[in-house]
Amino acid sequence: MAYRNLEIANRGAVRTITVNRPDKLNALNRETLNELTLAFTQAAQDDVVRVVVLAGAGEKAFVAGADIAEMNGYTPVQAQGFSRTGQRLMSLVERLGKPVIARIQGFALGGGMELAMCCHLRVASEKAKFGQPEINLGLIPGFGGTQRLLRLAGRSAALELCLLGAPISAQRAYELGVVNRVVAPEALDDTVTAMADQLAAAAPLAAAGILDAVLQGGESSIDQGLEFETQAFALAFATEDMREGTTAFLEKRKAEFKGR
Ligand code: COA
């Protein structure tokens, strides 16, 4: 289907979803949130897709936040709906069951930082800027920023970014554990492509198990998390991919995973 605010591209098992409103620095209006929800739902359902790359169009921004012009006229009830729509999208991405890589080349502010944080891996250009500047608008993060930043980087960083509202560099985001890789702008695409290709060739059910165990574990006690890990580990032994992976090792050849 054709989207007004997104571009979708497929390369083998890698699907790239690009927010495409560069004249508004890819700000997330309601329509874009709805289109992203549809695009990620389709990516989850399409068996050919093993990894998703999420990007923003243009040089300047990954996503510069929720659409301030649209929010300016919201009633509290509309704001509640907007927040819930955004939060549902971010949870959908986080729980997709397939790895999602955020490709971040410029501003990742407000809803943009929140969107990056619900992805599983973040690769940033040295020129990227991160921040939760909502306080400067008399607002607070509404798409999960207070919660995911807390969990990714701890209370001190979450409070610093949300209270001071100042942007931080990609390097500082890396030091806080918010970003996985910081690379020169010209190396961004190659780094993302190499990471996506590696994940596309990996055993998809094992990837899903890892995503599940880590995400569940983040919300539970160590004992519950360990039990979840044991069950997911045992389940892997029911897959053809596990037989293929271990046999390929023993036969000194490259494994070919089928997602079964
Ligand atoms: N919502 C709606 N429109 C936005 C936007 C947002 N979050 N961020 C940028 N835009 C729009 C601008 O209004 C401008 O539109 P216009 O050309 O029709 O006036 C266009 O995108 C380009 O942005 P501009 O501000 O001119 O670029 P800049 O390089 O001078 O500044 C930023 C870049 C990111 C510093 C600045 O756009 C900004 O502060 N954006 C808002 C960030 C924010 O507070 N995000 C959290 C929202 S909850």
Side-chain angles (χ1 to χ4, degrees), residues 86-141:
Q87 286 187 359
R88 273 198 291 267
L89 165 65
M90 312 275 156
S91 296
L92 169 69
V93 174
E94 196 169 61
R95 300 280 164 172
L96 202 72
K98 302 176 184 189
V100 183
I101 305 169
R103 173 201 181 277
I104 304 151
Q105 81 282 29
F107 294 109
L109 300 175
M113 180 157 182
E114 290 168 307
L115 192 58
M117 286 193 296
C118 70
C119 297
H120 306 116
L121 295 163
R122 283 157 290 280
V123 181
S125 148
E126 284 161 355
K127 290 190 175 164
K129 290 261 184 270
F130 294 81
Q132 297 290 163
E134 289 87 346
I135 193 167
N136 302 324
L137 302 166
L139 277 173
I140 80 162

Coordinates of all heavy atoms in Angstrom, one line a residue, residues 86-141:
G86 N 0.9 6.9 20.3 CA 2.4 6.9 20.3 C 2.9 5.7 21.1 O 3.8 5.0 20.7
Q87 N 2.4 5.6 22.3 CA 2.9 4.5 23.2 C 2.6 3.1 22.6 O 3.5 2.2 22.7 CB 2.3 4.6 24.6 CG 2.9 5.8 25.4 CD 2.4 5.8 26.8 OE1 1.6 5.0 27.2 NE2 2.8 6.8 27.6
R88 N 1.4 3.0 22.0 CA 1.1 1.6 21.5 C 2.1 1.3 20.3 O 2.5 0.2 20.2 CB -0.3 1.6 21.0 CG -1.3 1.2 22.1 CD -2.7 0.8 21.5 NE -3.4 1.9 20.9 CZ -4.2 2.7 21.5 NH1 -4.6 2.4 22.8 NH2 -4.8 3.7 20.9
L89 N 2.4 2.3 19.5 CA 3.3 2.1 18.4 C 4.7 1.7 19.0 O 5.3 0.8 18.5 CB 3.5 3.4 17.6 CG 4.7 3.5 16.6 CD1 4.6 2.4 15.5 CD2 4.8 4.8 16.0
M90 N 5.2 2.4 20.0 CA 6.5 2.2 20.5 C 6.5 0.7 21.1 O 7.5 0.0 21.0 CB 6.9 3.2 21.6 CG 6.7 4.6 21.2 SD 8.0 5.4 20.2 CE 7.1 6.7 19.4
S91 N 5.4 0.3 21.8 CA 5.4 -1.0 22.3 C 5.3 -2.1 21.2 O 5.9 -3.1 21.3 CB 4.2 -1.2 23.3 OG 4.3 -0.3 24.4
L92 N 4.6 -1.8 20.2 CA 4.6 -2.7 19.0 C 6.0 -2.9 18.4 O 6.4 -4.0 18.2 CB 3.6 -2.1 17.9 CG 3.6 -2.7 16.6 CD1 3.0 -4.1 16.6 CD2 2.9 -1.9 15.5
V93 N 6.7 -1.8 18.3 CA 8.1 -1.9 17.8 C 8.9 -2.8 18.7 O 9.6 -3.7 18.3 CB 8.7 -0.5 17.5 CG1 10.2 -0.6 17.1 CG2 7.9 0.3 16.5
E94 N 8.8 -2.4 20.0 CA 9.7 -3.1 21.0 C 9.3 -4.6 21.0 O 10.2 -5.4 21.2 CB 9.4 -2.5 22.4 CG 10.4 -2.8 23.4 CD 10.2 -1.9 24.6 OE1 9.1 -2.0 25.3 OE2 11.1 -1.1 24.9
R95 N 8.1 -4.9 20.8 CA 7.6 -6.3 20.9 C 7.4 -7.0 19.6 O 6.6 -7.9 19.4 CB 6.3 -6.4 21.7 CG 6.3 -5.9 23.1 CD 6.9 -6.9 24.0 NE 7.4 -6.3 25.3 CZ 7.8 -7.0 26.3 NH1 7.8 -8.3 26.3 NH2 8.2 -6.4 27.4
L96 N 8.1 -6.5 18.6 CA 7.9 -6.9 17.2 C 8.2 -8.4 17.0 O 7.7 -9.1 16.1 CB 8.7 -6.1 16.2 CG 8.2 -6.1 14.8 CD1 6.9 -5.3 14.6 CD2 9.2 -5.5 13.8
G97 N 9.2 -8.9 17.8 CA 9.6 -10.3 17.6 C 10.7 -10.4 16.6 O 11.2 -11.5 16.3
K98 N 11.1 -9.3 16.0 CA 12.2 -9.3 15.0 C 13.0 -8.1 15.3 O 12.5 -7.1 15.8 CB 11.6 -9.1 13.6 CG 10.6 -10.1 13.1 CD 10.0 -9.8 11.8 CE 9.0 -10.9 11.5 NZ 8.5 -10.8 10.1
P99 N 14.4 -8.2 15.1 CA 15.2 -7.1 15.5 C 14.9 -5.8 14.7 O 14.7 -5.9 13.5 CB 16.6 -7.6 15.2 CG 16.5 -9.0 15.0 CD 15.1 -9.3 14.6
V100 N 14.9 -4.7 15.4 CA 14.7 -3.4 14.7 C 15.9 -2.5 15.0 O 16.2 -2.3 16.2 CB 13.4 -2.7 15.2 CG1 13.1 -1.4 14.5 CG2 12.2 -3.6 15.1
I101 N 16.5 -2.0 13.9 CA 17.7 -1.1 14.1 C 17.3 0.3 13.7 O 16.7 0.6 12.7 CB 18.8 -1.5 13.1 CG1 19.2 -3.0 13.3 CG2 20.0 -0.6 13.3 CD1 20.1 -3.5 12.1
A102 N 17.6 1.3 14.6 CA 17.3 2.7 14.3 C 18.6 3.2 13.7 O 19.7 3.1 14.2 CB 17.0 3.4 15.6
R103 N 18.4 3.9 12.5 CA 19.5 4.6 11.8 C 19.4 6.1 12.0 O 18.4 6.7 11.5 CB 19.4 4.2 10.3 CG 20.4 5.0 9.4 CD 19.9 5.0 8.0 NE 20.9 5.7 7.1 CZ 20.9 7.1 7.0 NH1 20.1 7.9 7.7 NH2 21.8 7.6 6.2
I104 N 20.3 6.6 12.8 CA 20.1 8.0 13.3 C 21.1 8.9 12.8 O 22.3 8.8 13.2 CB 20.0 8.0 14.9 CG1 19.0 7.0 15.4 CG2 19.8 9.4 15.4 CD1 19.3 6.4 16.7
Q105 N 20.7 9.9 11.9 CA 21.8 10.7 11.3 C 21.7 12.2 11.8 O 22.7 12.9 11.6 CB 21.6 10.7 9.8 CG 20.5 11.6 9.2 CD 19.1 11.0 9.4 OE1 18.8 10.3 10.3 NE2 18.2 11.4 8.5
G106 N 20.7 12.6 12.4 CA 20.6 14.0 12.8 C 19.8 14.1 14.1 O 20.1 13.4 15.1
F107 N 18.8 15.0 14.2 CA 18.1 15.2 15.4 C 17.2 14.0 15.7 O 16.5 13.5 14.9 CB 17.2 16.4 15.3 CG 17.9 17.7 15.2 CD1 17.9 18.5 14.0 CD2 18.6 18.3 16.3 CE1 18.6 19.7 13.9 CE2 19.2 19.5 16.2 CZ 19.3 20.2 15.0
A108 N 17.4 13.5 17.0 CA 16.4 12.5 17.5 C 15.9 13.1 18.8 O 16.5 12.9 19.9 CB 17.1 11.2 17.7
L109 N 14.9 13.9 18.7 CA 14.5 14.7 19.8 C 13.0 14.3 20.2 O 12.2 13.9 19.3 CB 14.5 16.2 19.5 CG 15.8 16.8 19.1 CD1 15.6 18.3 18.7 CD2 16.8 16.7 20.2
G110 N 12.7 14.4 21.5 CA 11.3 14.1 21.9 C 10.9 12.8 21.4 O 11.5 11.7 21.7
G111 N 9.8 12.8 20.7 CA 9.2 11.6 20.1 C 10.2 10.8 19.2 O 10.1 9.6 19.0
G112 N 11.2 11.5 18.7 CA 12.2 10.9 17.9 C 13.2 10.1 18.7 O 13.6 9.0 18.3
M113 N 13.5 10.6 19.9 CA 14.4 9.9 20.8 C 13.6 8.7 21.3 O 14.1 7.6 21.5 CB 14.9 10.8 21.9 CG 15.8 10.0 22.9 SD 16.9 11.1 23.8 CE 17.7 9.8 24.8
E114 N 12.3 8.9 21.6 CA 11.4 7.8 22.1 C 11.3 6.7 21.1 O 11.4 5.5 21.4 CB 10.1 8.4 22.5 CG 10.1 9.3 23.7 CD 8.9 10.1 24.0 OE1 8.4 10.8 23.1 OE2 8.3 10.0 25.1
L115 N 11.2 7.1 19.8 CA 11.1 6.1 18.7 C 12.4 5.3 18.6 O 12.4 4.1 18.4 CB 10.8 6.8 17.4 CG 10.4 6.0 16.2 CD1 9.1 5.1 16.5 CD2 10.1 6.9 15.0
A116 N 13.5 6.0 18.7 CA 14.8 5.4 18.7 C 15.0 4.4 19.8 O 15.5 3.3 19.7 CB 16.0 6.4 18.7
M117 N 14.5 4.8 21.0 CA 14.7 4.0 22.2 C 13.8 2.7 22.2 O 14.2 1.7 22.9 CB 14.4 4.8 23.5 CG 15.5 5.8 23.8 SD 15.4 6.5 25.4 CE 13.8 7.4 25.4
C118 N 12.7 2.7 21.5 CA 11.9 1.4 21.4 C 12.5 0.4 20.4 O 12.1 -0.7 20.4 CB 10.5 1.7 21.2 SG 10.1 2.3 19.5
C119 N 13.4 0.9 19.6 CA 14.1 0.0 18.7 C 15.1 -0.9 19.5 O 15.5 -0.5 20.6 CB 14.9 0.7 17.6 SG 13.8 1.7 16.5
H120 N 15.6 -2.0 18.9 CA 16.5 -2.8 19.7 C 17.9 -2.5 19.7 O 18.7 -2.8 20.6 CB 16.2 -4.3 19.3 CG 14.8 -4.7 19.3 ND1 14.1 -5.0 18.2 CD2 13.9 -4.7 20.4 CE1 12.8 -5.2 18.6 NE2 12.7 -5.0 19.8
L121 N 18.3 -1.9 18.5 CA 19.7 -1.4 18.4 C 19.7 0.0 17.7 O 18.8 0.2 16.9 CB 20.5 -2.4 17.5 CG 20.6 -3.8 18.0 CD1 21.0 -4.8 16.9 CD2 21.7 -3.9 19.1
R122 N 20.7 0.8 18.2 CA 20.7 2.2 17.6 C 22.1 2.4 17.1 O 23.1 2.3 17.8 CB 20.4 3.2 18.8 CG 18.9 3.3 19.1 CD 18.6 3.8 20.4 NE 19.0 2.8 21.4 CZ 18.3 1.7 21.8 NH1 17.1 1.6 21.2 NH2 18.7 0.9 22.7
V123 N 22.1 2.8 15.8 CA 23.4 3.2 15.2 C 23.3 4.7 14.8 O 22.3 5.1 14.2 CB 23.7 2.4 13.9 CG1 25.0 2.8 13.3 CG2 23.7 0.9 14.2
A124 N 24.2 5.5 15.4 CA 24.1 6.9 15.2 C 25.3 7.5 14.5 O 26.5 7.1 14.6 CB 24.0 7.6 16.5
S125 N 25.1 8.5 13.7 CA 26.2 9.3 13.1 C 26.7 10.2 14.2 O 26.0 10.6 15.2 CB 25.6 10.2 12.0 OG 26.3 11.4 11.9
E126 N 28.0 10.5 14.1 CA 28.7 11.4 15.1 C 27.9 12.7 15.1 O 28.0 13.5 16.1 CB 30.1 11.7 14.6 CG 31.1 10.6 14.8 CD 32.3 10.8 13.9 OE1 32.4 11.7 13.1 OE2 33.3 9.9 14.1
K127 N 27.2 13.1 14.1 CA 26.5 14.4 14.1 C 25.1 14.3 14.7 O 24.4 15.4 14.8 CB 26.4 14.9 12.6 CG 27.7 15.3 12.0 CD 27.5 16.0 10.7 CE 28.8 16.5 10.1 NZ 28.6 16.8 8.7
A128 N 24.7 13.2 15.1 CA 23.3 13.0 15.7 C 23.2 13.8 17.0 O 24.2 13.9 17.7 CB 23.0 11.6 15.8
K129 N 22.0 14.2 17.3 CA 21.8 14.9 18.6 C 20.5 14.3 19.2 O 19.5 14.1 18.5 CB 21.5 16.4 18.3 CG 22.7 17.2 17.9 CD 23.3 17.9 19.1 CE 24.4 18.8 18.7 NZ 25.7 18.2 18.7
F130 N 20.6 13.9 20.4 CA 19.5 13.3 21.2 C 19.0 14.2 22.2 O 19.8 15.0 22.8 CB 20.0 12.0 21.8 CG 20.4 11.0 20.8 CD1 21.7 11.0 20.2 CD2 19.6 10.0 20.5 CE1 22.0 10.0 19.3 CE2 19.9 9.0 19.5 CZ 21.2 9.0 18.9
G131 N 17.8 14.1 22.6 CA 17.2 14.9 23.7 C 15.8 14.7 23.9 O 15.0 14.2 23.1
Q132 N 15.4 15.0 25.2 CA 13.9 15.1 25.5 C 13.6 16.5 25.9 O 13.6 16.9 27.1 CB 13.7 14.1 26.7 CG 13.9 12.6 26.4 CD 13.0 11.9 25.4 OE1 13.3 10.9 24.9 NE2 11.8 12.5 25.2
P133 N 13.4 17.4 24.9 CA 13.2 18.8 25.2 C 11.8 19.2 25.5 O 11.5 20.4 25.5 CB 13.7 19.4 23.8 CG 13.3 18.4 22.8 CD 13.3 17.1 23.4
E134 N 10.9 18.3 25.8 CA 9.5 18.6 26.0 C 9.3 19.7 27.1 O 8.4 20.5 27.0 CB 8.7 17.3 26.3 CG 8.5 16.4 25.2 CD 9.6 15.3 25.1 OE1 10.7 15.6 25.7 OE2 9.4 14.4 24.3
I135 N 10.1 19.6 28.1 CA 9.9 20.6 29.2 C 10.0 22.0 28.7 O 9.3 22.9 29.2 CB 11.0 20.3 30.4 CG1 10.6 21.1 31.6 CG2 12.4 20.7 29.9 CD1 11.3 20.7 32.9
N136 N 10.8 22.3 27.6 CA 10.9 23.6 27.1 C 9.6 24.1 26.4 O 9.4 25.2 26.1 CB 12.0 23.7 26.0 CG 13.4 23.3 26.6 OD1 13.6 23.6 27.8 ND2 14.2 22.6 25.9
L137 N 8.7 23.1 26.2 CA 7.4 23.4 25.6 C 6.3 23.4 26.7 O 5.1 23.4 26.4 CB 7.0 22.4 24.5 CG 8.0 22.3 23.3 CD1 7.8 21.0 22.5 CD2 8.0 23.5 22.4
G138 N 6.7 23.2 27.9 CA 5.7 23.1 29.0 C 5.1 21.7 29.0 O 4.0 21.5 29.5
L139 N 5.8 20.7 28.4 CA 5.3 19.4 28.3 C 6.2 18.4 29.0 O 7.3 18.7 29.4 CB 5.2 19.0 26.8 CG 4.0 19.5 26.0 CD1 4.2 19.2 24.5 CD2 2.8 18.8 26.5
I140 N 5.7 17.1 29.0 CA 6.6 16.0 29.4 C 6.6 15.0 28.2 O 5.7 15.0 27.4 CB 6.2 15.4 30.7 CG1 5.0 14.4 30.6 CG2 5.8 16.5 31.8 CD1 4.9 13.5 31.8
P141 N 7.6 14.1 28.2 CA 7.6 13.1 27.2 C 6.3 12.3 27.3 O 5.8 12.0 28.4 CB 8.8 12.2 27.5 CG 9.7 13.1 28.2 CD 8.8 14.0 29.0

